[in-house]
Amino acid sequence: MVDEQPADDLSVEQIEGDSWGAPPPGSTALVSRVYELRRKPVGTLTAEDLRVLIAQQVGLDVVVPRALRRLREDPLLEGDYYPGDVLVAVLKVPAEYWAARGGQLAELEAVIAAVDNPDRELARDIDEFRKRVGSA
């Protein structure tokens, strides 16, 4: 079971109790977007928003459980790039995260098991994930 979720109307910034303020001057579009997404209510985060935050390893304690919930409904949940791009971002979360969250790891394994005939790249990402975290 995924850990209990905080209120949908709170942002990652509010949940973590850590305001980053404005992006540094001259920030890239990606950095500016991450700063913006940290202030967005988590209940309004899109699949692409989740993918970006997870890929940048920002707010993982907040956004990974939300992503897992969405992935249970649609294992190939798509952000802006391709079917399964959210799952790929989750698969690349550091092994240390999963080591401390066995319940979420079990949920991710259930999501992976629900993927019928993953394409070659996704199958490779799944294999690399399992080697890295020592799961199934």
Side-chain angles (χ1 to χ4, degrees), residues 14-105:
Q14 292 170 312
I15 294 165
E16 291 183 343
D18 182 21
S19 176
W20 287 8
S27 293
T28 65
L30 177 59
V31 168
S32 294
R33 179 135 188 253
V34 168
Y35 272 71
E36 173 190 328
L37 292 176
R38 282 184 43 81
R39 293 188 299 269
K40 187 175 178 179
V42 295
T44 65
L45 293 173
T46 67
E48 178 61 9
D49 296 341
L50 292 169
R51 186 197 66 75
V52 168
L53 288 169
I54 293 168
Q56 296 305 307
Q57 298 183 20
V58 172
L60 294 179
D61 285 332
V62 176
V63 296
V64 168
R66 288 183 174 279
L68 288 171
R69 187 170 24 170
R70 300 270 311 270
L71 289 167
R72 280 196 319 260
E73 297 168 12
D74 179 5
L76 295 179
L77 181 65
E78 183 174 354
D80 284 356
Y81 293 108
Y82 54 88
D85 60 359
V86 175
L87 176 56
V88 169
V90 171
L91 291 171
K92 293 183 179 182
V93 167
E96 298 78 26
Y97 177 91
W98 302 109
R101 295 161 186 86
Q104 288 182 30
L105 178 58

Side-chain angles (χ1 to χ4, degrees), residues 86-131:
V86 175
L87 176 56
V88 169
V90 171
L91 291 171
K92 293 183 179 182
V93 167
E96 298 78 26
Y97 177 91
W98 302 109
R101 295 161 186 86
Q104 288 182 30
L105 178 58
E107 289 238 12
L108 179 53
E109 283 294 347
V111 167
I112 291 168
V115 177
D116 290 325
N117 301 314
D119 65 30
R120 182 179 310 135
E121 290 181 27
L122 180 54
R124 184 195 68 232
D125 289 334
I126 291 168
D127 288 343
E128 288 174 3
F129 165 78
R130 287 180 169 154
K131 287 176 189 169

